[in-house]
Amino acid sequence: MLKRLRSHVCGAWFEGNGTAVEVFDPTTGVAIAAVNNSGLDFAAALQYARETGGPVLRAMTFAQRGELLMAIAAAWHEFRDELLALSTVSGGNTRGDAKFDLDGATGTLSAYAKMGAKLGEARFLIDGPPIRLSRSPRFVGRHVRMPRVGVAIHINAFNFPAWGMAEKMAAAILGGMPVVTKAATSTAVLAERLVEILVEKEVVPPGVFSLICGSAGDMLQHVTTQDVVAFTGSAATGCRIRSGAAVIEKSVRVNVEADSLNSAVLGPDVKRASETWDLFIREVCTDMTQKAGQKCTAMRRIFVPVDKMDAVREDLIEAITNVKVGNPSSRGVRMGPLASQAQLADITAGIEELQTVAEIVCGALGPGELVDAEASAGYFQQPVLLQVKDSAAAAIVHTREVFGPVQTILPYSGAAAHAAALLNLGDGGLVASVYSDHRDFAAELALAVAPYNGRLNFGSKKVAEFSMGPGAVLPTLIHGGPGRAGAGEELGGLRGLSFYMQRTALQGDEPLLAHLLADGVEI
Ligand code: NAP
């Protein structure tokens, strides 16, 4: 009998009574669980969170909300080994990939917990000092940020069932909003177990955190004006969510984290085998193979000065072919399968589309040589490196996100302006990297691409030993990007709380304002 994945709503577990959707171990293709939430009353689930969880959270101080986040992190950490193993079975993750997701989740929760402790006994934020509005120093303006009194609806992508849930939850809970989170179906096994731990250990007060496993049903038809929706996934789904009738009618805040054709630029100054060159090769290879390339921040387009194309290709091929692909639980394997059959089909189609303008220079369509895994059973695709001759003409490379172990190297003249013009053809990304020790080159490029990217990562010999690469999303820096990346913004320390709080301007008698701000903390 397959494990049935349940939702946790209205303070209780819920299992649907319709036809179940199966989810599979991507290494073997064997079904491991089934999900079905038909009959779930989404309107009641949201209302329970608003009415039961909201008042509890708003009554808590920032320090208490921080303690709650720390307790969640501690509960998950206690089950770390079990959760890492589950991540391997349900998501095809190597132990390193699984840690990236799970430790990233607990690390982000802990970071927000510490911010809560620092904010202390306050319950809302005071945004900046008094602003004098007249000749009299008594008549002033202030800004406050108060928790919104609705529910935060979080819809997550399949690739980070733990981190994706936690990074959104951390900012919402610290901001004072209860959460209803919908896990992506293909990797919901891990999401359900994470929530099961919190329920069994009674970590979270009733209504503060609910889980939907399975379809989103008619949930977004029940949003109200105080609710917010934060979505991570494909641009197509993001568009549907944003344009939902109730979302538009009720002016519901929506944050979208979507596709991104992230890029890296190698500077013309970087010599082969130098520290900066090696960092570039290492980080490009990591982004291609970590989580089998299923990272929203992974580089897809690698811009290389035309006279360095041959050397870059040779070094990348050497690095990539050293990566063993196969059963993610086997020793030495550094890349596992894609997370689902649908992913494999999409990546196969994507590589074929790229091949209309680019040539494969490493790897091939198909699983390739696998360690301890049956190619015909699992969802494997070996790493594929492509190369184009005419970067500007290769339109599909700048518009088609192939969400797997696939990258394309593209030549540019060596001028920062040329690299920037090509990079910006991606029309908005989460992160772009510049590898150069030449400050003027890096600065010129950065100024031209910053409006198109949520984050810029500068790789150089000065930081080579500290660099964690562009793929890691840090709680202290914002995550999100303009244009095709969804135009959203998350994290960034306390900046991440803004989405969950209403900013209100106050104008009046200074002592009166000081009195009503007594429960706030200035940031
Ligand atoms: P997806 O197919 O768009 O699904 C994302 C989530 O939306 C899933 O939970 C899915 O549920 C749900 N969903 C689907 N249709 C919906 C609807 N009509 N109403 C409400 N929810 C709906 O994306 P994915 O395949 O999981 O993720 C891959 C994509 O996510 C890639 O394009 C990647 O770039 C992007 N991504 C972006 C970021 C970022 O931070 N920018 C991070 C990670 C991934 P089901 O699973 O039940 O279908």
Side-chain angles (χ1 to χ4, degrees):
M1 172 88 169
L2 279 183
K3 179 176 169 52
R4 315 286 291 195
L5 300 184
R6 301 154 300 164
S7 297
H8 196 269
V9 290
C10 301
W13 289 107
F14 175 86
E15 203 185 311
N17 50 13
T19 311
V21 174
E22 291 185 339
V23 297
F24 302 89
D25 174 343
T27 307
T28 60
V30 171
I32 50 172
V35 195
N36 157 37
N37 66 12
S38 54
L40 196 154
D41 186 342
F42 286 96
L46 298 182
Q47 191 58 9
Y48 180 79
R50 284 183 205 109
E51 284 179 353
T52 312
V56 172
L57 266 182
R58 291 192 297 276
M60 291 166 111
T61 63
F62 283 113
Q64 288 168 329
R65 293 176 207 158
E67 280 164 24
L68 174 55
L69 296 177
M70 198 56 104
I72 295 170
W76 288 349
H77 191 73
E78 193 184 326
F79 291 84
R80 184 169 179 266
D81 281 337
E82 179 205 321
L83 293 168
L84 291 177
L86 198 55
S87 174
T88 297
V89 173
S90 61
N93 293 303
T94 62
R95 193 171 165 86
D97 292 344
K99 285 196 229 166
F100 195 67
D101 185 27
L102 187 66
D103 295 346
T106 51
T108 302
L109 287 165
S110 307
Y112 273 87
K114 285 179 194 143
M115 288 177 228
K118 235 173 159 178
L119 292 172
E121 300 308 304
R123 292 184 171 80
F124 59 86
L125 300 175
I126 304 170
D127 188 341
I131 303 158
R132 198 163 148 173
L133 299 178
S134 73
R135 267 183 293 122
S136 163
R138 278 191 79 108
F139 186 50
V140 298
R142 306 291 308 256
H143 288 92
V144 283
R145 290 191 208 174
M146 307 292 290
R148 294 169 74 89
V149 297
V151 57
I153 298 170
H154 293 166
I155 300 175
N156 291 324
F158 72 85
N159 56 341
F160 286 107
W163 176 82
M165 187 194 279
E167 57 101 16
K168 285 182 166 51
M169 161 206 270
I173 288 181
L174 191 60
M177 280 193 89
V179 173
V180 171
T181 196
K182 184 197 132 22
T185 300
S186 60
T187 52
V189 169
L190 181 61
E192 196 226 32
R193 180 64 188 130
L194 288 164
V195 175
E196 195 176 55
I197 289 168
L198 302 184
V199 173
E200 279 168 4
K201 295 176 79 69
E202 298 183 359
V203 177
V204 184
V208 166
F209 191 72
S210 309
L211 171 73
I212 309 287
C213 280
S215 152
D218 63 357
M219 176 163 64
L220 295 177
Q221 291 172 27
H222 303 289
V223 287
T224 64
T225 52
Q226 286 286 315
D227 297 341
V228 299
V229 178
F231 165 79
T232 298
S234 63
T237 311
C239 197
R240 266 202 298 281
I241 286 172
R242 222 183 223 136
S243 53
V247 165
I248 293 174
E249 195 185 316
K250 308 276 180 182
S251 304
V252 172
R253 272 188 192 171
V254 180
N255 191 81
V256 173
E257 298 292 345
D259 310 3
S260 176
L261 287 149
N262 309 298
S263 19
V265 178
L266 181 68
D269 58 295
V270 185
K271 299 218 162 33
R272 194 173 191 176
S274 66
E275 250 181 296
T276 307
W277 177 285
D278 290 347
L279 177 71
F280 163 77
I281 297 289
R282 198 165 60 242
E283 293 191 343
V284 170
C285 182
T286 298
D287 262 18
M288 181 186 253
T289 54
Q290 189 174 46
K291 286 195 65 68
Q294 300 165 110
K295 271 186 332 198
C296 53
T297 49
M299 303 168 191
R300 308 286 170 203
R301 300 173 300 148
I302 319 298
F303 297 101
V304 178
V306 66
D307 60 337
K308 295 184 194 296
M309 281 291 277
D310 291 347
V312 164
R313 188 181 56 243
E314 282 167 22
D315 287 4
L316 279 178
I317 290 173
E318 191 187 335
I320 294 162
T321 46
N322 275 335
V323 174
K324 284 196 181 129
V325 182
N327 188 322
S329 54
S330 293
R331 219 184 174 75
V333 167
R334 276 175 46 209
M335 193 181 106
L338 297 161
S340 67
Q341 190 143 37
Q343 262 293 104
L344 178 59
D346 185 59
I347 270 64
T348 305
I351 295 171
E352 283 168 351
E353 284 171 49
L354 295 183
Q355 277 183 288
T356 59
V357 296
E359 171 200 3
I360 293 183
V361 292
C362 179
L365 259 182
E369 201 181 310
L370 299 177
V371 178
D372 297 340
E374 190 60 56
S376 58
Y379 314 137
F380 291 94
Q381 168 59 54
Q382 64 186 294
V384 166
L385 182 70
L386 298 107
Q387 174 179 327
V388 301
K389 284 206 171 74
D390 183 345
S391 303
I396 191 89
V397 179
H398 305 289
T399 53
R400 171 66 151 102
E401 183 203 42
V402 184
F403 202 60
V406 182
Q407 289 172 342
T408 306
I409 45 176
L410 304 104
Y412 77 98
S413 66
H418 188 215
L422 293 170
L423 195 154
N424 290 343
L425 292 175
D427 207 15
L430 293 173
V431 54
S433 297
V434 186
Y435 293 87
S436 173
D437 295 303
H438 196 294
R439 287 186 185 168
D440 289 342
F441 175 84
E444 186 184 343
L445 187 61
L447 291 177
V449 303
Y452 288 84
N453 287 279
R455 181 158 54 93
L456 299 180
N457 170 56
F458 299 96
S460 69
K461 63 184 176 198
K462 303 270 188 212
V463 297
E465 70 174 297
F466 314 108
S467 176
M468 63 268 293
V473 174
L474 304 170
T476 42
L477 299 183
I478 59 159
H479 172 60
R484 67 171 297 133
E489 191 178 289
E490 294 181 330
L491 299 171
L494 293 181
R495 293 174 188 84
L497 271 56
S498 304
F499 184 66
Y500 301 100
M501 306 183 97
Q502 177 61 40
R503 182 158 38 203
T504 304
L506 312 173
Q507 60 194 77
D509 179 30
E510 203 274 330
L512 166 73
L513 299 196
H515 177 70
L516 67 89
L517 294 179
D519 249 2
V521 57
E522 188 172 325
I523 54 163

